[in-house]
Every structure is written in C-alpha cells, then in structure tokens.
Amino acid sequence: MRKLYPDIVFGAIASSAVTYATINNWEYMDIIRTAAPQACSTLIQSSMTQIDSLLANSTLRIPLKALFGLRGLQHDDDFVSVLSWPLGSFQGKNWDPKVGSTGFEEFCAKLVDEDDIDAMESEREAIRLGLPVDLVIFRYAKYIRALVDQLCPNTEEQEDCFGTHNASKFQGTSLQETWRLWIFQVCTEWGYFIPAPPDPEWPSMISRLIDLEFESKICRQAFPPGKHMTIPMWPNVTVVNELGGFGLTYPRLAFIDGEIDPWRPCTPHSRWAPPRNDTISKPFKLIPGGVHHHDQNGLRKHKKEPKHIQEIHREEIEFVQAWLKEWIPK
C-alpha cells in the first residue's frame, strides 16, 4: 500500500509482512523445526519418519489410522495432513497468553511425557496387534484422538470432515464460504504452499506425502475454469515479487519481523534477502524470540510487557513521531 499508493498512505508499519511470494514455502515448517524445543522437534521428526514407513505397508496402514482415531479416512495424505495440524498453532504463539495460543506448547508437553500411562497401555495393545512403533507414536496418537473426538468422532463421517479429495466440497460460492478469499489469492498470485522439504534428506516436521501436488490441488478443486476467469496452472508470483520482493523498500515504510516467525523466510529478514540498514526513514527491526505479529499487541501498563516488547514499541513510537514531523498539511 505504501509503495503503490504513496499519496494515500503517508507511512506504514509492515508487521511480519511477507514481501516475497513463493510457490514452495517449505521453509515455513523448517523454522518451526529449528525454533521448537529440541526434544519436541526431534520426536516430531522421528514420528513422521515412522508414520511414512508404516503407511507404505498395506497391512499396517489401517491399524495405524485406527490408532490415531482416523480409521474412516481413505487417503493417506489426508491422514498425515490432520497429524500436522498441531504445528499450525506455533504461529499463534504470543508473549501475552491472553492474546496468543498455547496449543503448540500443550502438544509438545504431551509428546515428551514419558510417564503417560494411557500411552503405555496403548503400546502393549499395539504390540499384540503387530504394530511396531515407538512409544512417542502413542503419545502423538492420544493427542490427535482427543482432537478428532472434539471435531468428528463418528468414523463414518471422517471422510467428509477431513477428506480433501472430493472436489464438490470446495465449490460452494455462498457468502459463508469465507475461506475462499485467502485461497483465491494463494492460487492466483501468492503461492505459499507448505509441503515437506524438496530435499528427501532434509529433516521434516511433516509427512513426505504432503507434497506440492497435495497442497495445491485445492486450487483446481475450488476454482475450476469459469466463464470469466481461469486461474493459472501455478500462482503468478511474479506479480508480487516485481514490487520488490526481499528488497522491497520505501521511505516511511517499516519492516518489523519475528526472529522465529514461520513466515520470516518470505520477509525482508529472510536469509535470502539482501542486507540493509535500520534507519528512521526505513526501519528494519527483528524482534528477538518473536513469532508472528509480536509487536501488534501491548499492555496499557507498558512496563509490564517483556523488555524486548517494550523496546520495539518504544522504537516504533520514536520513528513514527519522526515521520509525522515530515507531514505537510494540504
């Protein structure tokens, strides 16, 4: 907005703003891999490796799905997609628990709990059934079963609840289908599909079955060729990136990003971005330990905020006050 409409937008703070569009946004999950507590991250990776191996065995795939409470899911990629849901809560972490989500921490706590009696009992039952998995899989399964019980406990309805291969489910166009707004932008210009790493040797937090084909099929399902428009085969990310991409800069445009924000690889603070200076006119600041939009909320009593949040808010006030001195009323 600041670059395209400078006569309307005098100044702007881009908080966790993604300026670089990419079709394959696999680094989103890799930020979580490196930022999560090491014990939890390692267990998630090992779990995914085991699960992919078991799914390749036609005898074991059904008992495995049943262990996670997802016997009713027909397609393996839908199954592992549900298993990746807890990772989505990492983005919602916030320094203020009243604002953010603690879902990721709760998931990790369950995963590393070596004293989980229920998981141990499930392990003994699985051994009886010939399902050879580590104890962590049972703790993972217990967490997912609780989630499934809340959302869709009836096995016969799970394909409708969690399945993604029936295109007709995604073709409703009523005003209630608000999810289509983000997806339309993803499919036409943004991309940001989040598959497993393209390098099979690179450690992964999600199943290798979650690939670009799986992640992008929603585009073909939700937006079939129409009378007035046909979406491109792949998002035209050039439309976004020609505005500057990693190098986007403009006077009175601030970039504030979180150090461990999963979206950081698509921001000017990406490891792929060119270096730049932090100035009053073009602020460029990275919040230590920050995740997504960590500067956007605060407390009325500022001194009760964490020190690093107090600091970024102080700096934002400082450069905005300097900008306002440049304002010339018309």
Side-chain angles (χ1 to χ4, degrees), residues 40-76:
C40 178
S41 177
T42 299
L43 289 176
I44 294 172
Q45 295 169 58
S46 66
S47 296
M48 287 299 105
T49 299
Q50 290 184 64
I51 288 167
D52 279 352
S53 177
L54 291 169
L55 287 173
N57 186 314
S58 59
T59 302
L60 299 178
R61 55 189 292 273
I62 300 302
L64 177 67
K65 291 180 182 180
L67 178 66
F68 281 82
L70 290 165
R71 181 189 294 273
L73 266 184
Q74 177 183 352
H75 299 276
D76 294 346

mmCIF file of all heavy atoms in Angstrom, residues 40-76:
data_model
loop_
_atom_site.group_PDB
_atom_site.id
_atom_site.type_symbol
_atom_site.label_atom_id
_atom_site.label_comp_id
_atom_site.label_asym_id
_atom_site.label_seq_id
_atom_site.Cartn_x
_atom_site.Cartn_y
_atom_site.Cartn_z
ATOM 1 N N CYS A 40 11.138 -31.898 21.601
ATOM 2 C CA CYS A 40 9.854 -31.987 20.904
ATOM 3 C C CYS A 40 10.066 -32.078 19.395
ATOM 4 O O CYS A 40 9.464 -32.916 18.719
ATOM 5 C CB CYS A 40 9.000 -30.777 21.248
ATOM 6 S SG CYS A 40 7.397 -30.741 20.415
ATOM 7 N N SER A 41 10.922 -31.222 18.866
ATOM 8 C CA SER A 41 11.190 -31.212 17.431
ATOM 9 C C SER A 41 11.716 -32.563 16.963
ATOM 10 O O SER A 41 11.279 -33.104 15.938
ATOM 11 C CB SER A 41 12.195 -30.112 17.098
ATOM 12 O OG SER A 41 12.522 -30.110 15.723
ATOM 13 N N THR A 42 12.638 -33.123 17.710
ATOM 14 C CA THR A 42 13.227 -34.415 17.342
ATOM 15 C C THR A 42 12.168 -35.514 17.343
ATOM 16 O O THR A 42 12.146 -36.376 16.446
ATOM 17 C CB THR A 42 14.364 -34.775 18.317
ATOM 18 O OG1 THR A 42 15.375 -33.769 18.238
ATOM 19 C CG2 THR A 42 14.974 -36.127 17.970
ATOM 20 N N LEU A 43 11.277 -35.489 18.321
ATOM 21 C CA LEU A 43 10.232 -36.506 18.401
ATOM 22 C C LEU A 43 9.230 -36.380 17.251
ATOM 23 O O LEU A 43 8.755 -37.388 16.717
ATOM 24 C CB LEU A 43 9.507 -36.411 19.741
ATOM 25 C CG LEU A 43 10.301 -36.865 20.967
ATOM 26 C CD1 LEU A 43 9.511 -36.623 22.235
ATOM 27 C CD2 LEU A 43 10.691 -38.337 20.847
ATOM 28 N N ILE A 44 8.912 -35.163 16.872
ATOM 29 C CA ILE A 44 8.002 -34.970 15.740
ATOM 30 C C ILE A 44 8.632 -35.520 14.464
ATOM 31 O O ILE A 44 7.985 -36.229 13.682
ATOM 32 C CB ILE A 44 7.653 -33.476 15.565
ATOM 33 C CG1 ILE A 44 6.848 -32.971 16.758
ATOM 34 C CG2 ILE A 44 6.861 -33.259 14.279
ATOM 35 C CD1 ILE A 44 6.622 -31.471 16.770
ATOM 36 N N GLN A 45 9.898 -35.211 14.253
ATOM 37 C CA GLN A 45 10.583 -35.693 13.051
ATOM 38 C C GLN A 45 10.642 -37.220 13.011
ATOM 39 O O GLN A 45 10.354 -37.838 11.978
ATOM 40 C CB GLN A 45 11.993 -35.120 12.998
ATOM 41 C CG GLN A 45 12.053 -33.609 12.830
ATOM 42 C CD GLN A 45 13.445 -33.076 13.055
ATOM 43 O OE1 GLN A 45 14.401 -33.481 12.378
ATOM 44 N NE2 GLN A 45 13.608 -32.171 14.021
ATOM 45 N N SER A 46 11.000 -37.829 14.128
ATOM 46 C CA SER A 46 11.096 -39.288 14.151
ATOM 47 C C SER A 46 9.722 -39.926 13.983
ATOM 48 O O SER A 46 9.587 -40.978 13.353
ATOM 49 C CB SER A 46 11.752 -39.752 15.454
ATOM 50 O OG SER A 46 10.944 -39.453 16.580
ATOM 51 N N SER A 47 8.698 -39.283 14.538
ATOM 52 C CA SER A 47 7.333 -39.791 14.382
ATOM 53 C C SER A 47 6.918 -39.793 12.924
ATOM 54 O O SER A 47 6.351 -40.781 12.418
ATOM 55 C CB SER A 47 6.354 -38.949 15.207
ATOM 56 O OG SER A 47 6.617 -39.041 16.584
ATOM 57 N N MET A 48 7.210 -38.702 12.224
ATOM 58 C CA MET A 48 6.825 -38.614 10.818
ATOM 59 C C MET A 48 7.548 -39.671 9.974
ATOM 60 O O MET A 48 6.968 -40.262 9.055
ATOM 61 C CB MET A 48 7.131 -37.219 10.284
ATOM 62 C CG MET A 48 6.202 -36.139 10.787
ATOM 63 S SD MET A 48 4.480 -36.434 10.317
ATOM 64 C CE MET A 48 3.810 -36.982 11.888
ATOM 65 N N THR A 49 8.808 -39.914 10.289
ATOM 66 C CA THR A 49 9.560 -40.932 9.557
ATOM 67 C C THR A 49 8.933 -42.310 9.756
ATOM 68 O O THR A 49 8.748 -43.077 8.792
ATOM 69 C CB THR A 49 11.024 -40.953 10.029
ATOM 70 O OG1 THR A 49 11.619 -39.673 9.775
ATOM 71 C CG2 THR A 49 11.815 -42.026 9.286
ATOM 72 N N GLN A 50 8.584 -42.630 10.998
ATOM 73 C CA GLN A 50 7.948 -43.916 11.282
ATOM 74 C C GLN A 50 6.589 -44.027 10.607
ATOM 75 O O GLN A 50 6.244 -45.073 10.029
ATOM 76 C CB GLN A 50 7.777 -44.096 12.789
ATOM 77 C CG GLN A 50 9.058 -44.309 13.559
ATOM 78 C CD GLN A 50 8.777 -44.583 15.023
ATOM 79 O OE1 GLN A 50 8.158 -45.590 15.360
ATOM 80 N NE2 GLN A 50 9.202 -43.672 15.886
ATOM 81 N N ILE A 51 5.812 -42.969 10.686
ATOM 82 C CA ILE A 51 4.460 -42.990 10.124
ATOM 83 C C ILE A 51 4.501 -43.176 8.616
ATOM 84 O O ILE A 51 3.735 -43.970 8.054
ATOM 85 C CB ILE A 51 3.720 -41.702 10.524
ATOM 86 C CG1 ILE A 51 3.380 -41.752 12.013
ATOM 87 C CG2 ILE A 51 2.462 -41.513 9.692
ATOM 88 C CD1 ILE A 51 2.928 -40.436 12.605
ATOM 89 N N ASP A 52 5.404 -42.477 7.939
ATOM 90 C CA ASP A 52 5.527 -42.656 6.483
ATOM 91 C C ASP A 52 5.905 -44.086 6.140
ATOM 92 O O ASP A 52 5.412 -44.667 5.160
ATOM 93 C CB ASP A 52 6.573 -41.686 5.919
ATOM 94 C CG ASP A 52 6.020 -40.287 5.715
ATOM 95 O OD1 ASP A 52 4.796 -40.097 5.858
ATOM 96 O OD2 ASP A 52 6.810 -39.367 5.430
ATOM 97 N N SER A 53 6.774 -44.666 6.934
ATOM 98 C CA SER A 53 7.194 -46.049 6.693
ATOM 99 C C SER A 53 6.033 -47.018 6.893
ATOM 100 O O SER A 53 5.825 -47.940 6.093
ATOM 101 C CB SER A 53 8.354 -46.402 7.633
ATOM 102 O OG SER A 53 8.743 -47.747 7.467
ATOM 103 N N LEU A 54 5.260 -46.812 7.933
ATOM 104 C CA LEU A 54 4.124 -47.699 8.211
ATOM 105 C C LEU A 54 3.031 -47.558 7.153
ATOM 106 O O LEU A 54 2.379 -48.547 6.796
ATOM 107 C CB LEU A 54 3.556 -47.383 9.594
ATOM 108 C CG LEU A 54 4.452 -47.752 10.782
ATOM 109 C CD1 LEU A 54 3.905 -47.155 12.068
ATOM 110 C CD2 LEU A 54 4.574 -49.264 10.904
ATOM 111 N N LEU A 55 2.828 -46.357 6.660
ATOM 112 C CA LEU A 55 1.795 -46.154 5.640
ATOM 113 C C LEU A 55 2.147 -46.862 4.334
ATOM 114 O O LEU A 55 1.257 -47.191 3.537
ATOM 115 C CB LEU A 55 1.588 -44.660 5.380
ATOM 116 C CG LEU A 55 0.869 -43.887 6.484
ATOM 117 C CD1 LEU A 55 0.879 -42.404 6.186
ATOM 118 C CD2 LEU A 55 -0.557 -44.387 6.663
ATOM 119 N N ALA A 56 3.421 -47.081 4.104
ATOM 120 C CA ALA A 56 3.855 -47.781 2.898
ATOM 121 C C ALA A 56 3.590 -49.280 2.986
ATOM 122 O O ALA A 56 3.708 -49.998 1.987
ATOM 123 C CB ALA A 56 5.337 -47.529 2.649
ATOM 124 N N ASN A 57 3.213 -49.746 4.174
ATOM 125 C CA ASN A 57 2.915 -51.169 4.391
ATOM 126 C C ASN A 57 1.398 -51.351 4.362
ATOM 127 O O ASN A 57 0.681 -50.864 5.243
ATOM 128 C CB ASN A 57 3.485 -51.609 5.738
ATOM 129 C CG ASN A 57 3.355 -53.095 5.976
ATOM 130 O OD1 ASN A 57 2.308 -53.683 5.747
ATOM 131 N ND2 ASN A 57 4.435 -53.722 6.456
ATOM 132 N N SER A 58 0.886 -52.049 3.374
ATOM 133 C CA SER A 58 -0.556 -52.196 3.186
ATOM 134 C C SER A 58 -1.227 -52.899 4.360
ATOM 135 O O SER A 58 -2.424 -52.717 4.605
ATOM 136 C CB SER A 58 -0.839 -52.953 1.890
ATOM 137 O OG SER A 58 -0.236 -54.241 1.912
ATOM 138 N N THR A 59 -0.481 -53.688 5.101
ATOM 139 C CA THR A 59 -1.034 -54.414 6.248
ATOM 140 C C THR A 59 -1.165 -53.513 7.472
ATOM 141 O O THR A 59 -2.084 -53.674 8.281
ATOM 142 C CB THR A 59 -0.148 -55.625 6.599
ATOM 143 O OG1 THR A 59 -0.040 -56.478 5.456
ATOM 144 C CG2 THR A 59 -0.734 -56.418 7.752
ATOM 145 N N LEU A 60 -0.258 -52.543 7.607
ATOM 146 C CA LEU A 60 -0.190 -51.745 8.822
ATOM 147 C C LEU A 60 -0.889 -50.392 8.728
ATOM 148 O O LEU A 60 -1.149 -49.761 9.758
ATOM 149 C CB LEU A 60 1.274 -51.524 9.208
ATOM 150 C CG LEU A 60 2.091 -52.788 9.502
ATOM 151 C CD1 LEU A 60 3.533 -52.424 9.811
ATOM 152 C CD2 LEU A 60 1.478 -53.566 10.659
ATOM 153 N N ARG A 61 -1.184 -49.928 7.529
ATOM 154 C CA ARG A 61 -1.716 -48.573 7.377
ATOM 155 C C ARG A 61 -3.081 -48.394 8.053
ATOM 156 O O ARG A 61 -3.354 -47.353 8.661
ATOM 157 C CB ARG A 61 -1.779 -48.153 5.912
ATOM 158 C CG ARG A 61 -2.549 -49.065 5.001
ATOM 159 C CD ARG A 61 -2.363 -48.693 3.531
ATOM 160 N NE ARG A 61 -2.983 -47.419 3.231
ATOM 161 C CZ ARG A 61 -4.270 -47.287 2.875
ATOM 162 N NH1 ARG A 61 -5.046 -48.360 2.822
ATOM 163 N NH2 ARG A 61 -4.764 -46.114 2.598
ATOM 164 N N ILE A 62 -3.948 -49.416 7.968
ATOM 165 C CA ILE A 62 -5.265 -49.300 8.587
ATOM 166 C C ILE A 62 -5.174 -49.316 10.113
ATOM 167 O O ILE A 62 -5.774 -48.457 10.786
ATOM 168 C CB ILE A 62 -6.216 -50.396 8.079
ATOM 169 C CG1 ILE A 62 -6.396 -50.283 6.557
ATOM 170 C CG2 ILE A 62 -7.573 -50.301 8.782
ATOM 171 C CD1 ILE A 62 -6.934 -48.929 6.109
ATOM 172 N N PRO A 63 -4.430 -50.260 10.706
ATOM 173 C CA PRO A 63 -4.270 -50.206 12.168
ATOM 174 C C PRO A 63 -3.631 -48.894 12.642
ATOM 175 O O PRO A 63 -3.966 -48.394 13.713
ATOM 176 C CB PRO A 63 -3.366 -51.406 12.467
ATOM 177 C CG PRO A 63 -3.586 -52.346 11.337
ATOM 178 C CD PRO A 63 -3.819 -51.482 10.145
ATOM 179 N N LEU A 64 -2.735 -48.340 11.852
ATOM 180 C CA LEU A 64 -2.100 -47.076 12.223
ATOM 181 C C LEU A 64 -3.137 -45.958 12.268
ATOM 182 O O LEU A 64 -3.183 -45.173 13.224
ATOM 183 C CB LEU A 64 -0.988 -46.722 11.228
ATOM 184 C CG LEU A 64 -0.288 -45.385 11.475
ATOM 185 C CD1 LEU A 64 0.509 -45.430 12.777
ATOM 186 C CD2 LEU A 64 0.629 -45.033 10.306
ATOM 187 N N LYS A 65 -3.970 -45.884 11.248
ATOM 188 C CA LYS A 65 -5.004 -44.854 11.232
ATOM 189 C C LYS A 65 -5.969 -45.041 12.402
ATOM 190 O O LYS A 65 -6.401 -44.062 13.027
ATOM 191 C CB LYS A 65 -5.767 -44.890 9.906
ATOM 192 C CG LYS A 65 -4.952 -44.445 8.709
ATOM 193 C CD LYS A 65 -5.779 -44.515 7.434
ATOM 194 C CE LYS A 65 -4.959 -44.116 6.209
ATOM 195 N NZ LYS A 65 -5.746 -44.185 4.960
ATOM 196 N N ALA A 66 -6.290 -46.269 12.698
ATOM 197 C CA ALA A 66 -7.189 -46.543 13.814
ATOM 198 C C ALA A 66 -6.573 -46.093 15.129
ATOM 199 O O ALA A 66 -7.270 -45.573 16.017
ATOM 200 C CB ALA A 66 -7.508 -48.033 13.858
ATOM 201 N N LEU A 67 -5.266 -46.262 15.277
ATOM 202 C CA LEU A 67 -4.569 -45.836 16.489
ATOM 203 C C LEU A 67 -4.755 -44.348 16.728
ATOM 204 O O LEU A 67 -4.911 -43.895 17.866
ATOM 205 C CB LEU A 67 -3.084 -46.178 16.380
ATOM 206 C CG LEU A 67 -2.189 -45.765 17.551
ATOM 207 C CD1 LEU A 67 -2.574 -46.543 18.811
ATOM 208 C CD2 LEU A 67 -0.723 -45.986 17.204
ATOM 209 N N PHE A 68 -4.782 -43.559 15.646
ATOM 210 C CA PHE A 68 -4.941 -42.113 15.740
ATOM 211 C C PHE A 68 -6.409 -41.694 15.727
ATOM 212 O O PHE A 68 -6.714 -40.501 15.693
ATOM 213 C CB PHE A 68 -4.205 -41.429 14.587
ATOM 214 C CG PHE A 68 -2.718 -41.314 14.802
ATOM 215 C CD1 PHE A 68 -1.878 -42.374 14.524
ATOM 216 C CD2 PHE A 68 -2.158 -40.141 15.281
ATOM 217 C CE1 PHE A 68 -0.511 -42.280 14.712
ATOM 218 C CE2 PHE A 68 -0.794 -40.029 15.481
ATOM 219 C CZ PHE A 68 0.036 -41.102 15.204
ATOM 220 N N GLY A 69 -7.315 -42.666 15.732
ATOM 221 C CA GLY A 69 -8.740 -42.347 15.713
ATOM 222 C C GLY A 69 -9.245 -41.920 14.361
ATOM 223 O O GLY A 69 -10.293 -41.279 14.251
ATOM 224 N N LEU A 70 -8.522 -42.280 13.282
ATOM 225 C CA LEU A 70 -8.855 -41.813 11.938
ATOM 226 C C LEU A 70 -9.027 -42.975 10.965
ATOM 227 O O LEU A 70 -8.669 -42.885 9.788
ATOM 228 C CB LEU A 70 -7.776 -40.848 11.437
ATOM 229 C CG LEU A 70 -7.743 -39.492 12.159
ATOM 230 C CD1 LEU A 70 -6.446 -38.750 11.873
ATOM 231 C CD2 LEU A 70 -8.938 -38.630 11.736
ATOM 232 N N ARG A 71 -9.618 -44.056 11.452
ATOM 233 C CA ARG A 71 -9.844 -45.221 10.599
ATOM 234 C C ARG A 71 -10.722 -44.874 9.385
ATOM 235 O O ARG A 71 -10.603 -45.486 8.319
ATOM 236 C CB ARG A 71 -10.526 -46.334 11.409
ATOM 237 C CG ARG A 71 -10.782 -47.613 10.628
ATOM 238 C CD ARG A 71 -11.652 -48.571 11.413
ATOM 239 N NE ARG A 71 -10.974 -49.059 12.610
ATOM 240 C CZ ARG A 71 -10.176 -50.123 12.608
ATOM 241 N NH1 ARG A 71 -9.965 -50.797 11.500
ATOM 242 N NH2 ARG A 71 -9.599 -50.504 13.728
ATOM 243 N N GLY A 72 -11.580 -43.876 9.531
ATOM 244 C CA GLY A 72 -12.505 -43.536 8.464
ATOM 245 C C GLY A 72 -11.916 -42.737 7.321
ATOM 246 O O GLY A 72 -12.599 -42.478 6.331
ATOM 247 N N LEU A 73 -10.646 -42.340 7.426
ATOM 248 C CA LEU A 73 -10.029 -41.560 6.349
ATOM 249 C C LEU A 73 -9.458 -42.489 5.285
ATOM 250 O O LEU A 73 -8.609 -43.331 5.573
ATOM 251 C CB LEU A 73 -8.923 -40.656 6.892
ATOM 252 C CG LEU A 73 -9.324 -39.222 7.234
ATOM 253 C CD1 LEU A 73 -8.111 -38.415 7.661
ATOM 254 C CD2 LEU A 73 -10.018 -38.546 6.075
ATOM 255 N N GLN A 74 -9.897 -42.299 4.061
ATOM 256 C CA GLN A 74 -9.491 -43.196 2.970
ATOM 257 C C GLN A 74 -8.079 -42.926 2.479
ATOM 258 O O GLN A 74 -7.305 -43.849 2.238
ATOM 259 C CB GLN A 74 -10.482 -43.057 1.807
ATOM 260 C CG GLN A 74 -10.125 -43.881 0.585
ATOM 261 C CD GLN A 74 -11.095 -43.662 -0.560
ATOM 262 O OE1 GLN A 74 -12.122 -42.998 -0.398
ATOM 263 N NE2 GLN A 74 -10.776 -44.208 -1.717
ATOM 264 N N HIS A 75 -7.737 -41.659 2.313
ATOM 265 C CA HIS A 75 -6.479 -41.297 1.661
ATOM 266 C C HIS A 75 -5.379 -41.029 2.699
ATOM 267 O O HIS A 75 -5.579 -40.302 3.671
ATOM 268 C CB HIS A 75 -6.670 -40.070 0.780
ATOM 269 C CG HIS A 75 -7.660 -40.290 -0.328
ATOM 270 N ND1 HIS A 75 -7.317 -40.874 -1.524
ATOM 271 C CD2 HIS A 75 -8.989 -40.012 -0.404
ATOM 272 C CE1 HIS A 75 -8.384 -40.947 -2.297
ATOM 273 N NE2 HIS A 75 -9.412 -40.432 -1.638
ATOM 274 N N ASP A 76 -4.213 -41.586 2.434
ATOM 275 C CA ASP A 76 -3.098 -41.442 3.373
ATOM 276 C C ASP A 76 -2.646 -39.996 3.515
ATOM 277 O O ASP A 76 -2.242 -39.565 4.602
ATOM 278 C CB ASP A 76 -1.913 -42.307 2.921
ATOM 279 C CG ASP A 76 -2.223 -43.793 2.985
ATOM 280 O OD1 ASP A 76 -3.239 -44.171 3.611
ATOM 281 O OD2 ASP A 76 -1.448 -44.579 2.398
#
